[in-house]
Amino acid sequence: MLVVMQSDATPEQIERVSQVIRDLGFTPEPIPGKTRTAICVLNNPGAVDPNHFVGLPGVKEAIRVSKPYKLVSRETHRDGTVIRVGQAVIGGGELAVIAGPCAVESEQQALTIARKVKASGASLFRGGAFKPRTSPYSFQGLGEKGLDILVRVREETGLPIVTEAIDHEVCDLVEEKADVIQIGARNMQNYTLLRRAGRAAKPVLLKRGMSATIEEWLMAAEYILNEGNRQVILCERGVRTFAVHMRNTLDLGSIPVVKKLSHLPVLVDPSHAAGIREFVAPLAKGAASVGADGLMIEVHHEPEKALSDGPQSLLPEEFDRLMKEIKR
Ligand code: PEP
Ligand code: MN
């Protein structure tokens, strides 16, 4: 339920509606907009009778929210969310580019790549310190040491850091040291982690699960917003289908659909979708064309030696070329 107030409604009238919602046992969430305030009814397990609100002073109308998600929905927030991290802006019409290696391997590796992607125009740096790997025998990341390397990368380059929290236990450390907390595809429905990230004071980048519908993805984002953190960035990274010509099937159609359904910014990660270096650039250009708010791209200066995702990592010069082509 969304109680839409008249444009000249007073703070007292808004508070009175909020109190009626609290008296019903639910939670009011006033959402100020450019022209009027709307009050979203949260934590109601079933439908709410609009007659509780119609006729109250200052109320224009009470409308049922047709979707199961509320806080992430465009029905409740008409204006697109813009997230600022350091100098970087995500949402609001600019194409934000997050670039860096799949995993942090050493200080020298991370700094070498960071200097190059910054020179090419990336506005945030990525690199996994805690890696969710399919095999327990694969490189699992440098852990806290990797986070400290990322802190040094930020100190030297000024680029904000995006890195993954693979569970709620490491989320404290990631929140402390990183600028954006990434939740990976494998964890999109890890509700303990989603709730923990929802209590973080840093933006969260939520990747789409590899078999998640758009509704499941938006409901996962709703968990984060419902805990109080409204700074969520969505990221499409390909879903699993019968097609085996790429690592995943990039669902470019999800971008305009999610942008219609939600006010949250949506990025595309063409690297994990393609899985193969030569297909990253065409997918990135497609993403920019369908209105993505940004890109997340894996880059490595020695991909043949990379400890994870080398085959899909662009060489710095390929990344530079892509950035120039996308700008054009
Ligand atoms: C990553 O970004 O390195 C990663 C593991 O991605 P995903 O969760 O999309 O597989
Ligand atoms: Mn990777």
Side-chain angles (χ1 to χ4, degrees):
M1 173 71 57
L2 192 67
V3 185
V4 181
M5 303 300 290
Q6 287 160 359
S7 55
D8 58 354
T10 64
E12 292 73 29
Q13 290 170 339
I14 292 170
E15 174 49 30
R16 182 166 171 198
V17 171
S18 299
Q19 192 54 47
V20 170
I21 295 169
R22 282 191 286 269
D23 289 346
L24 288 166
F26 310 138
T27 310
E29 169 79 19
I31 301 160
K34 278 194 191 122
T35 53
R36 48 60 168 166
T37 291
I39 307 168
C40 192
V41 182
L42 298 175
N43 297 318
N44 53 308
V48 182
D49 185 351
N51 289 322
H52 289 297
F53 310 105
V54 285
L56 286 182
V59 171
K60 183 166 176 249
E61 56 184 335
I63 39 184
R64 287 221 160 88
V65 178
S66 59
K67 301 286 189 297
Y69 41 84
K70 299 173 182 180
L71 294 171
V72 307
S73 172
R74 272 228 194 250
E75 289 183 295
T76 56
H77 295 64
R78 284 195 228 165
D79 306 328
T81 289
V82 178
I83 296 175
R84 284 167 211 282
V85 195
Q87 303 290 311
V89 182
I90 301 166
E94 291 295 308
L95 192 80
V97 179
I98 306 172
C102 181
V104 177
E105 298 166 7
S106 68
E107 182 168 335
Q108 188 263 343
Q109 173 248 18
L111 272 172
T112 303
I113 299 168
R115 289 181 191 125
K116 287 189 185 285
V117 298
K118 185 184 178 183
S120 301
S123 53
L124 299 104
F125 184 71
R126 65 149 287 149
F130 298 94
K131 293 303 303 174
R133 302 304 300 275
T134 303
S135 164
Y137 309 119
S138 300
F139 176 60
Q140 304 285 311
L142 296 179
E144 191 171 355
K145 187 166 165 254
L147 291 180
D148 291 332
I149 291 173
L150 290 168
V151 168
R152 282 198 284 286
V153 167
R154 177 178 54 221
E155 280 165 5
E156 194 198 292
T157 62
L159 293 177
I161 298 303
V162 184
T163 197
E164 181 166 350
I166 50 168
D167 55 42
H168 65 276
E169 283 156 1
V170 302
C171 201
D172 288 352
L173 268 179
V174 172
E175 181 184 1
E176 183 194 324
K177 304 206 174 178
D179 301 289
V180 177
I181 303 166
Q182 178 172 329
I183 295 185
R186 291 157 190 79
N187 266 321
M188 191 205 80
Q189 287 178 313
N190 178 340
Y191 299 113
T192 315
L193 177 58
L194 294 174
R195 285 208 186 89
R196 170 64 190 82
R199 294 190 293 274
K202 301 268 171 83
V204 177
L205 184 144
L206 178 65
K207 288 199 159 187
R208 180 180 180 184
M210 56 188 84
S211 63
T213 63
I214 286 175
E215 188 165 299
E216 288 164 342
W217 188 18
L218 293 177
M219 290 306 285
E222 186 84 5
Y223 266 87
I224 302 172
L225 273 79
N226 194 36
E227 292 292 324
N229 190 348
R230 304 296 156 89
Q231 297 198 291
V232 173
I233 305 152
L234 300 168
C235 182
E236 158 69 37
R237 44 79 74 203
V239 290
R240 188 165 285 180
T241 66
F242 59 85
V244 292
H245 50 274
M246 289 193 192
R247 183 174 175 183
N248 290 288
T249 300
L250 184 61
D251 183 7
L252 278 184
S254 72
I255 303 304
V257 172
V258 169
K259 289 198 73 71
K260 184 174 175 194
L261 295 173
S262 174
H263 55 90
L264 297 175
V266 195
L267 309 187
V268 169
D269 168 352
S271 305
H272 290 87
I276 305 164
R277 185 171 309 123
E278 69 175 301
F279 300 127
V280 172
L283 295 186
K285 292 176 202 169
S289 308
V290 294
D293 293 294
L295 300 166
M296 175 182 253
I297 298 180
E298 287 186 342
V299 179
H300 202 294
H301 63 308
E302 293 175 322
E304 67 290 348
K305 293 190 193 154
L307 298 179
S308 81
D309 287 348
Q312 68 195 30
S313 298
L314 294 187
L315 287 160
E317 48 274 26
E318 293 171 323
F319 176 70
D320 190 66
R321 200 177 317 129
L322 172 62
M323 290 294 280
K324 290 194 173 99
E325 285 171 357
I326 279 186
K327 214 172 270 175
R328 201 170 60 227

